[in-house]
Amino acid sequence: MSAQYDLVKVPTGSNEEKEELLYPRIVSSGTIDTETLIERISQSSTFTPGDLKGALQEFTHSLTEYLKDGYTVELGEIGYFSPSIKGRGVKNKKDIRSTSITFKSVNFRANKKLRRNLRGDLQRSTNGFRQSAQVGEEERLRRLLHYLEANFFITRVQYTHLTGLLKNRALAELRKFVTDGLLEIKGTGNRLVFIRNSSL
């Protein structure tokens, strides 16, 4: 199986002479979770799934500790991990306190050998990028309310099936309904559900 790409329009140039050029972008084939990766490695090596899970936990713990100490960490032929921080801009060094500077994220830079090994055939996608269905906001709301008349709660996955919105847009809209007071949110992580506001 080869990776696939499609072309997207990207505005270029100044505001007065803006034109849209087509640039290639990878089309995601999906997400491989940790369990799948461990199972594949276990089948092609002498390591048991338990060995691999234990090693991964130790790698994660040690990586985190070194990043917290300000180190850049090289992980084999995969690449380099380094911490990033955030803080407000100031004109004078005395205007900022250390408590207002926090860790932001982790940067990753791929190893040269890993980048070389990625070279291979790319195919033009026949389906292109997935896009949210063109269902109007009023219709999405109508479908949501109708669904909640027959069901106590709705999940993000169910809302995606109901409206055609992709994952991030569906979740953002459900959270907007919470902010607007239409819905209440219950649970966390994979058990996150949305229910009709009991005060309505």
Side-chain angles (χ1 to χ4, degrees):
M1 177 179 174
S2 298
Q4 297 187 338
Y5 70 92
D6 200 4
L7 301 173
V8 295
K9 291 182 178 179
V10 178
T12 60
S14 64
N15 291 332
E16 297 178 357
E17 299 180 357
K18 187 175 290 186
E19 64 173 326
E20 292 184 333
L21 298 179
L22 294 171
Y23 285 90
R25 293 289 185 272
I26 197 79
V27 175
S28 175
S29 299
T31 301
I32 301 299
D33 60 23
T34 306
E35 291 294 328
T36 302
L37 190 59
I38 284 176
E39 187 64 29
R40 175 168 179 169
I41 296 172
S42 177
Q43 290 175 355
S44 61
S45 70
T46 59
F47 298 110
T48 67
D51 292 336
L52 294 168
K53 288 178 183 178
L56 181 59
Q57 288 178 351
E58 290 304 315
F59 269 123
T60 303
H61 175 73
S62 296
L63 174 67
T64 304
E65 291 300 310
Y66 279 122
L67 291 174
K68 285 168 63 177
D69 289 341
Y71 288 97
T72 293
V73 181
E74 179 185 9
L75 186 58
E77 295 178 349
I78 294 176
Y80 302 84
F81 296 85
S82 60
S84 66
I85 59 176
K86 64 178 178 179
R88 63 184 178 88
V90 294
K91 292 183 178 180
N92 191 307
K93 291 182 179 180
K94 297 179 180 180
D95 294 338
I96 197 164
R97 298 179 180 178
S98 60
T99 54
S100 66
I101 302 173
T102 59
F103 283 103
K104 178 183 179 182
S105 187
V106 176
N107 300 319
F108 172 71
R109 179 166 52 90
N111 182 286
K112 287 182 179 179
K113 187 171 182 178
L114 177 62
R115 294 200 303 267
R116 280 200 307 269
N117 289 340
L118 282 175
R119 292 174 184 167
D121 294 332
L122 285 166
Q123 296 179 352
R124 176 76 183 271
S125 172
T126 55
N127 298 321
F129 294 102
R130 294 182 60 202
Q131 295 182 344
S132 293
Q134 300 302 310
V135 177
E137 186 174 349
E138 289 185 10
E139 174 61 17
R140 296 197 300 270
L141 179 58
R142 187 196 69 77
R143 293 182 185 184
L144 172 64
L145 296 177
H146 180 73
Y147 183 90
L148 290 175
E149 287 177 2
N151 301 275
F152 180 68
F153 65 85
I154 188 168
T155 65
R156 193 281 306 166
V157 173
Q158 290 165 337
Y159 192 63
T160 290
H161 290 315
L162 197 68
T163 63
L165 292 181
L166 297 182
K167 178 180 179 179
N168 291 340
R169 282 196 61 193
L171 186 58
E173 185 155 279
L174 287 169
R175 291 187 181 279
K176 176 180 177 295
F177 290 146
V178 172
T179 303
D180 293 344
L182 179 65
L183 300 178
E184 293 179 0
I185 193 169
K186 301 289 183 182
T188 58
N190 294 332
R191 298 184 179 181
L192 198 68
V193 299
F194 299 84
I195 64 174
R196 186 78 181 266
N197 190 328
S198 57
S199 64
L200 297 180

